[in-house]
Amino acid sequence: MNSFEFFAPTSVDEALDLIVSKGEDAKIVAGGTGLVNMMKQRLVNPEALISLGAVRGLDGLEISDGKVRIGALCNHQALVKSAEVGQMLPLLAETYSKVATVRIRNFATVGGGLVHGDPNQDPQVSLLALNADVSLRSKSGTRTLPLKDFMVDYYETAIRPDELLIDALVPVLPNNAGYAYLKFLPRTADDYATVSAAAVTVLEDGVLKDVRVAFGSAAPTARRCQETERMLTGQRPTPEALRAAAEKAKDLADPVSDGRGSAAYKKEMVGVFVRRALEKALERAGGAVNGR
Amino acid sequence: MIKKRIALTVNGQRHEVEVPTTRTLIDCIRYDLGLTGSVEGCGVGVCGACTMLLNGKMISSCIYLAVMADGAEINTIEGLAKDGQLDPVQQAFIDYGGFQCGICTSGQIMAARALIDENPRPTVDQVKDWMMGNLCRCTGYYKILESILKAAEAEAAA
């Protein structure tokens, strides 16, 4: 690791001052599970590290107006274990429980994960399907961005150098919604996914009133599958309709070949796992796929 | 090289050390404080050999910087035995053959300790799920699983 200055501000304001004064040679660190690893491998060589470990009041979980506000410094395991999240947003608890291991989840933060911007991460996929927003604060104010606009490219997000991600806002699902997050792990249980998929479905009188689908690990960012959603909205979820709509998601896949599978294989698996996620969500919504 | 003075309370004892900002927590514990029971295996937070507790939560100390732990309470394998009496988890690993070569053992025991602290009577599946991130390349997993379940049982009975 290259030598660097280390700062531990105790408030958001102090952190924002440091981010501005240290400029782009500085990196912000929370749990460090992503960044310290990258620094050890010299993939990132900051001149200064601004640790948020001593900043108070950013790790809360707050539920109001039908939304869960997750503080940027809330760690993954706290989310997994939160009774409120388990009850109001079980898809989120299920998704975060699939990230790495307890040891990593204890320190990896929700905000840190989002700004890390690795397309192989789990949370982004479900957060996309949940219509999550993120709040970004700078000295000049706070702006809120839909997660889909926040994610830009491999390890790249729309955050500006003078901004800090403050929280994620996730609308609670209606009680009758079905949901699923599937993580395809052909190697080990703590690996990144070969392909992952999330689905949210709301059925009314046997017809899909609301359907949201996203996949991960198969493009520069997690991707929301709007064409798939359009094909299914207002339709009965027959096996044929699900298959055709899931196939459509493959058009958005742009994976790279690696140890977890070839690009061609991952693209095929996007179709498979999007379909399975839809099926599982529908099963949970109490409406097994028609025709079975 | 930029250095910083930090305070760590390790196994109940307070230490003040000056460390390079690049120092990982595992290196600080091993080389600055001389506690070599925790070992670095993979160095990327995957294998679990360097597992210790930071403010009561288990952590991969190989991917955490010592300066980030300033002011924290840390527990390592050296602090488990009390008054010459092994911790029930340590005793169970001996009684039920929970280790072979020993490289992963301190991490396994600290992870098991963290599990039983949080969930005193874990089920087999809960132990497997929790311990998933602690690898044993001798592959002695059945004995490790048995040791942890027996340790929980012994503690519950005590």
Side-chain angles (χ1 to χ4, degrees), chain A residues 1-290:
Chain A
M1 240 183 280
N2 291 353
S3 195
F4 53 85
E5 288 185 288
F6 184 82
F7 300 94
T10 55
S11 69
V12 172
D13 282 340
E14 200 188 329
L16 288 173
D17 282 335
L18 275 164
I19 293 167
V20 172
S21 67
K22 293 295 157 189
E24 290 198 52
D25 294 331
K27 275 280 177 192
I28 302 161
V29 67
T33 50
L35 184 64
V36 176
N37 238 333
M38 291 173 103
M39 287 166 63
K40 280 184 89 173
Q41 294 165 58
R42 293 177 190 261
L43 293 169
V44 181
N45 298 296
E47 298 281 324
L49 213 52
I50 300 165
S51 167
L52 301 181
V55 173
R56 297 283 162 257
L58 271 190
D59 60 351
L61 276 168
E62 191 186 299
I63 298 160
S64 60
D65 297 334
K67 286 185 178 184
V68 179
R69 183 182 290 273
I70 308 165
L73 295 183
C74 176
N75 70 59
H76 287 31
Q77 190 69 357
L79 237 170
V80 172
K81 294 186 68 183
S82 157
E84 286 101 333
V85 171
Q87 200 186 354
M88 303 187 82
L89 278 171
L91 173 57
L92 217 52
E94 175 171 288
T95 305
Y96 276 92
S97 77
K98 301 230 165 102
V99 177
T101 59
V102 178
R103 248 185 4 257
I104 300 300
R105 293 199 295 272
N106 273 342
F107 291 88
T109 63
V110 169
L114 292 175
V115 294
H116 187 53
D118 183 331
N120 294 312
Q121 291 172 279
D122 303 286
Q124 280 86 334
V125 185
S126 291
L127 286 168
L128 268 185
L130 289 167
N131 289 331
D133 290 332
V134 294
S135 311
L136 305 165
R137 191 174 300 167
S138 71
K139 301 277 284 176
S140 50
T142 304
R143 63 178 176 134
T144 300
L145 216 57
L147 179 66
K148 70 174 167 47
D149 298 332
F150 178 73
M151 300 187 300
V152 175
D153 207 335
Y154 287 105
Y155 299 100
E156 191 183 333
T157 69
I159 197 164
R160 290 194 300 249
D162 64 337
E163 285 178 324
L164 204 58
L165 194 151
I166 294 295
D167 51 37
L169 271 164
V170 192
V172 172
L173 290 176
N175 282 334
N176 61 344
Y179 61 88
Y181 176 68
L182 298 183
K183 183 174 185 180
F184 180 33
L185 288 167
R187 303 198 312 174
T188 62
D190 61 345
D191 199 5
Y192 280 129
T194 289
V195 163
S196 63
V200 169
T201 57
V202 179
L203 274 175
E204 255 181 42
D205 303 324
V207 166
L208 278 162
K209 187 179 162 234
D210 188 9
V211 52
R212 308 181 217 153
V213 183
F215 68 78
S217 293
T221 67
R223 283 192 168 159
R224 181 82 180 251
C225 311
Q226 274 156 333
E227 190 56 25
T228 299
E229 296 173 0
R230 199 194 54 75
M231 286 169 73
L232 289 171
T233 306
Q235 304 297 313
R236 289 187 181 278
T238 62
E240 298 73 31
L242 291 181
R243 190 173 292 275
E247 274 294 299
K248 199 70 195 162
K250 285 158 60 180
D251 292 353
L252 293 168
D254 182 16
V256 289
S257 298
D258 60 19
R260 298 182 187 89
S262 68
Y265 179 66
K266 289 182 188 179
K267 192 162 182 158
E268 278 307 307
M269 290 302 106
V270 166
V272 171
F273 278 83
V274 161
R275 176 175 51 77
R276 289 183 187 171
L278 280 163
E279 288 168 355
K280 188 169 176 188
L282 283 160
E283 213 175 285
R284 279 176 167 161
V289 177
N290 291 349

